[in-house]
Amino acid sequence: MLLPWISGLILLAGIAAVLGTYFSNTAEVTTKNPTGPVIPEPIVQKNVPFPDAAWRVAREFAFTAIARKHLAASYAITHPTLRSGYSLKQWETGTLPNLVFFPTAQILKYNWKNTNYAHPRDAQINVILLPTKASHQQPLTAQIGLRKVGTGSHERWLVDYFAPVSGPRVPTPK
């Protein structure tokens, strides 16, 4: 018979404690950002039309470095970060770091889920590389990234990124 009264008193005490804590807490937060300095909003660059000069470099790269032809010319249009420290002599051996071989006969632009972009000093484009007929390979989809280096009359585009989107294709049987 005493149990309901004791339970009721405990309930009232709990309610009183919660209300007392809620209404008596007058502390103010003095630090608006307690986790560190304010992080600025990222600067969103607007796209510009894809530069013709960048497209010419991307095409030349596909027909030289990727196809393993005229490797000295491809070395000149490849950014040092993509060359991985290779000298021109090492590059001309054709054993290129980070670059798959593909017998490119034709290159096409495509925009997959709006992943192509161009800013004043960097750009990326999706391409479809069509193989030579003699290779019996399937087309290869890839991304080519470019960066503008130099200033004034010495500005030029260099390829600083190349990656197949779906990996190298296996040759198809005749």
Side-chain angles (χ1 to χ4, degrees), residues 82-149:
L82 188 58
R83 286 192 227 142
S84 300
Y86 272 41
S87 67
L88 175 58
K89 187 175 181 177
Q90 291 170 314
W91 190 266
E92 289 180 314
T93 65
T95 307
L96 305 181
N98 309 320
L99 296 177
V100 299
F101 163 75
F102 189 79
T104 308
Q106 189 176 357
I107 182 172
L108 306 170
K109 298 178 195 178
Y110 83 100
N111 194 3
W112 180 72
K113 294 189 178 181
N114 295 318
T115 54
N116 290 349
Y117 67 87
H119 302 141
R121 299 203 63 85
D122 68 321
Q124 179 175 296
I125 192 163
N126 295 302
V127 295
I128 300 172
L129 302 178
L130 300 177
T132 59
K133 288 184 181 182
S135 71
H136 303 290
Q137 291 195 23
Q138 296 292 318
L140 176 70
T141 55
Q143 292 180 329
I144 299 177
L146 301 110
R147 185 183 314 175
K148 189 182 268 188
V149 298

Side-chain angles (χ1 to χ4, degrees), residues 59-75:
R59 284 180 49 81
E60 184 179 351
F61 184 80
F63 289 117
T64 58
I66 302 304
R68 304 300 195 267
K69 296 179 180 177
H70 311 290
L71 291 170
S74 72
Y75 187 86

